Amino acid sequence: MTTAEHEYDVIVLGAGSTGENVADIAVRGGLSAVLVESELVGGECSYWACMPSKALLRGSEALAQARAVAGAAAAVTGEQDVAATLDRRDGFTSHWDDAGQAEWVEGAGIGLVRGHGRLAGEKRVVVAQADGSELTLTARHAVAVCTGSRAAVPGVEGLADVQPWTPREATSAKEAPRRLLVVGGGYVGCEMATAWQQLGSSVTLLQHGDRLLPHLEPAAGEAVEASLRALGVDVQLGTGVRSARREGDEVVLTCDSGDEVRGDEVLVATGRAANTDEIGLDAVGLEPGGYLDVDESLQVPGLPWLYGVGDVNGRAQLTHMGKYQARQAGAAIVARARGEQVDLSDWSPFVATADRRATPSVVFTDPQVAAVGLTAAQAADAGLPHRVIEYPIGSVAGASVFADGYTGTAIAVVDTEREVLLGVTFVGAGVAELLHSATIAVVAEVPISRLWHAVPSYPTISEIWLRLLETYRG
């Protein structure tokens, strides 16, 4: 085994979208930076999450939208070409080849070291490379841990032994299984149940709780449940899994009730775990395996040179929020390297507050669910004075043009003392593109009196804003 040493201003563990952005901000700020990656440069989003999952869903969505418009519907004379859809998905992942991403890294002036990195003391990282050699990296200013998260497989008897799909297998499968069992009714479970049912699988979705998408407004889960059932998905609520086994090519799940369900594959979509087990946290006095505790600048308390950015801190496990945190952490690293004081107050350019105040998210089911800020239940739990406003999106002229018989719901949670929006949820076809307007309104705490003068164009679905404000005013 040979060992070499190199020094950079910033070392970034993990070359996913979060790590890439930390390194890019550091380099743009005049620092040198290196990415350490043991898998594909570009990370989970590029190859196993956001991009391939949305590519799997988009064809079915486009067909549904065409079929919802008289005249256009007559042109839809066949079914989706599944093989072509999978080929298109493969194109979005660059066929799981990261050469293009690595080229971007080089062009951005960022170093790249391939191998498994682990902390080896203050500002030191040792990288085990594929050829058996070790490379020691030293940071002049900061080490950013951007190792992300992985699918968590619950400790159900026999489940690990049946070789379940995680979201990685669900988004990269080369063909639709004849029967797919999905355990978990959150974002991933609902999206993948939607995708594979429409691509030819017979899907059974098992949700332990009494509704799908339990962290969103109840209307969202109810609409997605109704849609999945209409597609032919067997949705079983209040159904926990007691054990799993394989009988030949079949996966057999035994439910808490004693009933059994059978399939050819089982997708476990029940949550995430931090990728911190084997990155040397114990070498710097931290406990391996858990999420990193960080302050608002993403700095680990007590270790001013160490940052935990993105999924690894467990605050908001979404690609766009990881990138946001990366921009904030990168700016803080650059400022501190220059000897500048980093302000940790609310609207500072060096701190991450959006994931505390107003995290936007979209569930790309049919209907889509787009939400930001607090739900009514969360506002009540926080003891905030609030009023809930609902309006049927299908009653807006722009929605009736968008699709015949459009159905959907807009829900706004208004702080009745300050008269600002606490949260907004849209449920319906194409509502993802409405979300950023809501995010701006919630983050900026735009008073209702000012929103009244933000006039939506006619006839667009955005006119739902006018109807919500009119309903609030009474």
Side-chain angles (χ1 to χ4, degrees), residues 211 214-215 374-386 413 422:
R211 64 185 175 96
H215 301 300
L374 301 181
T375 63
Q378 290 165 343
D381 288 345
L384 297 172
H386 67 281
V413 182
L422 295 171

Side-chain angles (χ1 to χ4, degrees), residues 2 16 21 55 106 135 180 201 222 253 280 284 308 328 355 363 412 422:
T2 59
N21 276 271
E106 181 180 2
L135 182 66
L180 175 63
S201 295
E222 291 164 3
L253 301 182
V284 295
Q328 305 306 94
D355 49 17
V363 189
L422 295 171

Side-chain angles (χ1 to χ4, degrees), residues 421-443:
L421 291 170
L422 295 171
V424 180
T425 298
F426 301 112
V427 182
V431 296
E433 300 305 331
L434 289 176
L435 185 58
H436 195 56
S437 57
T439 302
I440 292 170
V442 172
V443 171

